[in-house]
Amino acid sequence: MARTAGSNGTRTLEAIRKAGLRLIYRQGYEAMSLRQLASEVGIQVGSLYNHISTKQDLLFDLIRVHMEELIARLDRALEGFDSPADRLDAFIRFHVEYHIARKREVFISYSELRSLEPKNYDVIVELRGRYERRLIDILDEGVAHEDFTTADTTVAAFGILAMLTGVCTWFKPGGRLSKDEVIEVYSGMIRDGLVRPGAGFTPDRLLPRPPAGAVPGA
């Protein structure tokens, strides 16, 4: 995507990405024009092409970077947790905290998936599959160890992800429940649906925190 090298070019490209994120989140990809984008950044329209090739490339870059960072940060968040129960705990906490902290990126990655060209769409779907696979593997391991019970781990994973991702549409800092309390509510529902009695969870146990620095906004 980037065409301009050097510190000034890097700063301008980052400004373009941030402005593009704001505009697409606010009014949608189709409605955003390159003229608006250039105005938001404070450069001429023609100067945009020193940094991005097309509007489609900008959208693809925003979603791709989001997905790659999501996967990398999840892998760090899961480090140090060995049992399926603890890894599930860590996954729940990471997913909720990340999605609360990155509401715009998450919204765009779902709502504008339809706007991607086929080759770009395929790349993003593959990245999403890698993230989903992390949770499916946790559930598979839990079933194999007889910690979890579910008829289909893939269906269970998709259900869990849909429930957890919804938090970014309604959670507000300073609301009735804190972030940790919301995580505990979600975790309790997932425990009830998946975890065999005596598998390591207790109703009043708060979720363990991942290693320091593993989760954005923690």
Side-chain angles (χ1 to χ4, degrees), residues 1-216:
M1 173 182 166
R3 292 183 174 184
T4 302
S7 59
N8 288 337
T10 300
R11 286 195 295 270
T12 302
L13 178 59
E14 185 60 25
I16 291 170
R17 285 171 169 158
K18 289 180 178 178
L21 186 68
R22 289 193 301 270
L23 289 171
I24 295 172
Y25 178 76
R26 189 165 65 223
Q27 62 191 54
Y29 171 76
E30 292 297 335
M32 185 197 77
S33 70
L34 291 182
R35 185 173 299 279
Q36 286 177 308
L37 179 60
S39 176
E40 190 88 359
V41 178
I43 61 177
Q44 296 297 315
V45 175
S47 298
L48 282 175
Y49 297 105
N50 293 322
H51 307 277
I52 63 173
S53 300
T54 63
K55 189 169 78 164
Q56 172 70 199
D57 284 347
L58 173 64
L59 177 65
F60 174 58
D61 182 69
L62 289 173
I63 300 177
R64 178 186 56 79
V65 169
H66 160 69
M67 288 304 307
E68 289 176 347
E69 185 172 357
L70 179 68
I71 293 168
R73 286 179 179 266
L74 172 63
D75 287 343
R76 291 198 295 272
L78 294 176
E79 290 176 359
F81 297 102
D82 297 322
S83 74
D86 285 343
R87 288 173 67 79
L88 180 59
D89 269 355
F91 182 96
I92 294 167
R93 176 171 288 279
F94 167 80
H95 190 92
V96 172
E97 291 194 336
Y98 188 96
H99 283 64
I100 287 174
R102 304 294 180 90
K103 290 176 65 171
R104 291 185 299 187
E105 290 90 338
V106 171
F107 177 81
I108 289 171
S109 73
Y110 281 92
S111 67
E112 297 296 350
L113 192 64
R114 65 182 184 272
S115 300
L116 291 172
E117 295 174 354
K119 63 183 178 64
N120 293 335
Y121 177 91
D122 290 343
V123 172
I124 299 305
V125 168
E126 192 275 332
L127 287 170
R128 288 179 64 170
R130 285 166 53 190
Y131 185 79
E132 293 160 355
R133 187 74 244 174
R134 300 299 198 274
L135 178 56
I136 295 168
D137 287 346
I138 292 171
L139 300 183
D140 283 342
E141 185 181 6
V143 170
H145 291 183
E146 298 187 346
D147 290 339
F148 304 156
T149 177
T150 181
D152 190 297
T153 54
T154 299
V155 172
F158 290 162
I160 291 168
L161 287 168
M163 179 173 66
L164 296 178
T165 300
V167 71
C168 66
T169 66
W170 59 264
F171 179 82
K172 291 181 174 58
R176 184 172 61 85
L177 296 178
S178 69
K179 178 178 61 180
D180 285 344
E181 288 171 326
V182 168
I183 290 171
E184 183 62 19
V185 170
Y186 274 134
S187 184
M189 290 189 288
I190 294 169
R191 293 172 195 164
D192 290 344
L194 283 176
V195 178
R196 292 180 182 274
F201 289 109
T202 57
D204 59 348
R205 181 168 70 86
L206 289 175
L207 299 175
R209 289 188 176 275
V215 180

